[in-house]
Amino acid sequence: MPDDTGGAFAVLYEQHVGHVAAFVLRRCDRNDAADIVSETFLVAWRRRADIPSEPVTRAWLYGVARRVAANHRRSDRRRGRLAERVEANIAAALQTSPDPGAWRAEASALSDALARLSAADRELLFLSAWEELTPAEIAHVLDLPANIVHKRLYRARQRLQATLDSEEARIDV
């Protein structure tokens, strides 16, 4: 197929999309068929210079669709295995985790303590804990010198601990 800006490809698409869709539907789940047909024609667009002329164009498209469907099935199997591993990890964690009520109380106390901190302290702590950034990386994010970030992060952690300690004192009283 000559490489053009789309006119010949549009004709090819119109002539073959129904046949390719039927081919895919006979081999795949209806929910996956539209994605597979779309990806088949995306591959054909990318390789439009390689598309053979009639009468083997449809056969070539079927071959592409067959490979796309195989890749799709492999991806589904990988996602399924990953989901099984995640479920197994969650089940194992639930069996070994402490009392959920205690965890909720700790999470609530931490949330309250964080709310009492300044926005700047919270941002530093979140970048460190949630995003797992080093002080040097945080310095880059905040466009500050690294030594300043080290000091501010240290102080933010101290203020958080002091707030948590005062929460425990209030709870225990």
Side-chain angles (χ1 to χ4, degrees):
M1 166 180 227
D3 190 11
D4 67 357
T5 58
F9 188 83
V11 171
L12 172 118
Y13 178 84
E14 289 300 321
Q15 288 176 341
H16 296 286
V17 68
H19 296 291
V20 172
F23 175 86
V24 169
L25 281 168
R26 286 190 289 272
R27 287 158 179 79
C28 298
D29 185 306
R30 186 177 260 316
N31 295 328
D32 299 330
D35 289 338
I36 293 168
V37 171
S38 296
E39 192 172 338
T40 297
F41 281 97
L42 178 61
V43 169
W45 172 258
R46 288 180 183 148
R47 296 190 52 209
R48 62 190 176 275
D50 299 333
I51 298 174
S53 56
E54 295 296 345
V56 294
T57 305
R58 187 181 313 158
W60 185 86
L61 288 168
Y62 286 171
V64 171
R66 190 173 149 276
R67 287 184 291 282
V68 168
N71 288 339
H72 192 80
R73 283 190 297 275
R74 277 192 297 278
S75 294
D76 282 348
R77 284 193 301 272
R78 280 193 302 269
R79 277 190 296 274
R81 287 191 305 267
L82 176 61
E84 289 170 3
R85 285 195 312 268
V86 168
E87 288 173 9
N89 289 342
I90 290 172
L94 289 174
Q95 290 175 352
T96 61
S97 66
D99 174 31
W103 181 85
R104 281 190 201 101
E106 289 174 10
S108 178
L110 179 59
S111 178
D112 291 344
L114 284 167
R116 288 189 175 82
L117 295 177
S118 70
D121 281 351
R122 280 194 307 270
E123 182 67 13
L124 282 169
L125 293 168
F126 291 159
L127 287 170
S128 175
W130 285 352
E131 307 305 330
E132 299 179 348
L133 296 179
T134 66
E137 292 169 328
I138 294 170
H140 185 72
V141 170
L142 299 178
D143 196 27
L144 292 170
N147 63 335
I148 298 293
V149 171
H150 275 283
K151 291 174 188 175
R152 288 182 183 177
L153 185 57
Y154 175 77
R155 289 181 189 138
R157 287 177 176 148
Q158 284 183 320
R159 284 189 283 271
L160 177 61
Q161 187 60 56
T163 305
L164 285 169
D165 291 343
S166 70
E167 285 292 317
E168 287 179 21
R170 266 190 272 167
I171 294 170
D172 291 338
V173 173

